[in-house]
Amino acid sequence: MLNRFLSHCLLVAAGFLAAVPAFADKPNVVILATGGTIAGAGADAAKSATYQAAKVPVDKLIAGIPTLGDVAQVRGEQVFQIASESFTNDHLVTLGKRVAALAKQGDVDGIVVTHGTDTLEETAYFLNLVVHTDKPIIVVGSMRPGTAMSADGMLNLFNAVSTAASKDARGKGVLVTMNDELNSGRDVSKMVNIKTEAFKSPWGPLGMVVEGKNYWFRLPAKRHTMNSEFDIEKIDALAPVEIAYGYGNVTDTAYRAFADKGAKAVIHAGTGNGSVSNRVVPGLRELRGKGVQIIRSSHVNAGGFVLRNAEQPDDQYDWVVAHDLNPQKARILAAVALTKTNDSKELQRIFWEY
Ligand code: DAS
């Protein structure tokens, strides 16, 4: 009799446990959705480039990956629903403050930001600079909408959640999981606009994520997150910084126009080594004399390297060099750094360290 009673209790208990969601003992991951192609939808499965971005809400993104509950207890927030080319500094500050607030919560183990791919690299670098946490923060997008054949968003998002839920991703700065790779939010950039293998770091990925497991091969070398002197909790607005493109036949019109509109710094997206046309140098020196910071970057796309006094006498002109940061990343760092200092020597230190 007693055995039958005990076996009955065991069956009931087993039944109860089976009803408990798969993630009862799983890490807690929050997905902050902002829009982009990963939330895109098109009318034809054969069309991977013709669709509307920022259509699918975060709860549908989560529901679209049934096995997500095997790796984490996931909940979503719809922070924005926009294509990322329309991001502004205010969007960055709002998102950064939400990420920082969640990172401080004891019931949050990791954060995923779903994002359009156009400015994903800027947001990832921004969060890398200003969010003080060692919890994993993963920024993820997709090159094809979920309605297209061989869409990449589902696996990219699964990888992002599994990485956000993993202890081994802690302390590595903001990460980007696209196309099975783990890239540093600082280094990664969109190098191609029509392939799923679109995001590359000039200095290589940090690792790979395969079947929900991370394989690490290198670590970030620059300051980030917990080791950053910048804190989103002390930033309410970014400094106005603009980018002017260098090319043959260029004039200083754009640089002057940006300064006239109040730019505190102009990023020179230079040819080659951040070179500056001799038709533009006098105008940039004049702007520097009026207090505008001039920061030389390079628009070569597979990884530039701008060093002081190599192509231009930066010491003499009191200009800053962006080191290996592309123009859009240099803008982010300058916009953050100028909230703390307008000293060109301090700015140059910051560009070497971050
Ligand atoms: N317009 C692009 C964006 O939102 C779509 C994408 O690739 O995500 O960044």
Side-chain angles (χ1 to χ4, degrees):
M1 182 65 173
L2 178 60
N3 283 346
R4 281 184 62 192
F5 172 71
L6 285 177
S7 59
H8 176 67
C9 291
L10 284 174
L11 280 174
V12 169
F16 171 73
L17 286 176
V20 171
F23 46 59
D25 57 348
K26 300 289 184 197
N28 295 307
V29 171
V30 179
I31 298 178
L32 297 180
T34 72
T37 293
I38 195 166
D44 183 338
K47 297 217 187 292
S48 61
T50 309
Y51 59 87
Q52 283 195 302
K55 289 295 170 205
V56 180
V58 62
D59 292 340
K60 277 191 79 176
L61 294 179
I62 294 170
I65 311 177
T67 54
L68 221 45
D70 294 344
V71 294
Q73 177 164 335
V74 178
R75 69 175 175 83
E77 292 181 14
Q78 194 76 45
V79 183
F80 314 122
Q81 185 69 293
I82 59 174
S84 74
E85 62 269 24
S86 301
F87 254 63
T88 63
N89 287 348
D90 290 343
H91 285 110
L92 288 175
V93 170
T94 300
L95 178 64
K97 288 183 182 296
R98 187 61 189 138
V99 171
L102 284 167
K104 290 173 88 169
Q105 290 181 204
D107 62 347
V108 174
D109 299 300
I111 297 161
V112 169
V113 177
T114 59
H115 195 291
T117 60
D118 287 6
T119 62
L120 189 149
E121 65 199 81
E122 299 175 40
T123 298
Y125 187 35
F126 173 72
L127 297 173
N128 199 55
L129 291 169
V130 301
V131 178
H132 284 204
T133 183
D134 65 354
K135 292 179 181 176
I137 301 171
I138 318 297
V139 186
V140 65
S142 73
M143 295 303 291
R144 296 173 179 155
T147 48
M149 284 184 276
S150 300
D152 55 330
M154 200 170 171
L155 182 56
N156 286 351
L157 181 52
F158 177 84
N159 288 344
V161 170
S162 72
T163 304
S166 56
K167 288 192 170 59
D168 62 33
R170 292 180 72 111
K172 292 187 168 70
V174 172
L175 301 168
V176 173
T177 58
M178 300 280 288
N179 196 46
D180 304 329
E181 287 190 344
L182 290 157
N183 276 290
S184 159
R186 176 197 184 270
D187 299 342
V188 78
S189 175
K190 184 176 179 179
M191 299 281 193
V192 175
N193 65 2
I194 197 69
K195 295 179 179 176
T196 51
E197 187 182 5
F199 281 75
K200 291 289 174 191
S201 293
W203 321 122
L206 301 180
M208 284 195 72
V209 45
V210 181
E211 296 183 351
K213 183 169 170 37
N214 302 327
Y215 299 87
W216 302 99
F217 303 107
R218 65 191 87 248
L219 295 174
K222 299 289 185 177
R223 294 176 68 177
H224 60 76
T225 58
M226 292 299 283
N227 185 29
S228 173
E229 65 199 272
F230 307 109
D231 183 349
I232 188 61
E233 294 189 4
K234 298 178 185 132
I235 296 174
D236 289 321
L238 295 179
V241 176
E242 303 294 348
I243 303 173
Y245 209 80
Y247 49 89
N249 200 48
V250 68
T251 68
D252 63 11
T253 305
Y255 304 81
R256 289 182 182 280
F258 284 143
D260 290 347
K261 287 286 185 187
K264 293 284 179 280
V266 179
I267 308 294
H268 168 65
T271 53
N273 300 345
S275 314
V276 183
S277 161
N278 57 21
R279 292 161 31 127
V280 171
V281 170
L284 295 195
R285 295 194 67 187
E286 186 186 318
L287 293 181
R288 183 71 198 106
K290 291 177 181 171
V292 177
Q293 296 291 347
I294 303 298
I295 301 171
R296 293 196 301 119
S297 174
S298 168
H299 67 55
V300 298
N301 62 11
F305 218 83
V306 182
L307 293 173
R308 285 191 70 79
N309 308 311
E311 286 283 341
Q312 300 290 338
D314 299 296
D315 290 354
Q316 179 191 341
Y317 294 169
D318 191 26
W319 293 353
V320 175
V321 295
H323 190 20
D324 68 321
L325 292 175
N326 68 28
Q328 54 272 29
K329 298 246 187 190
R331 185 193 76 84
I332 293 293
L333 182 54
V336 169
L338 285 163
T339 65
K340 281 194 83 169
T341 179
N342 190 29
D343 176 282
S344 55
K345 291 186 177 37
E346 265 297 275
L347 287 174
Q348 186 63 77
R349 171 190 65 80
I350 289 165
F351 269 85
W352 292 138
E353 292 181 4
Y354 291 88

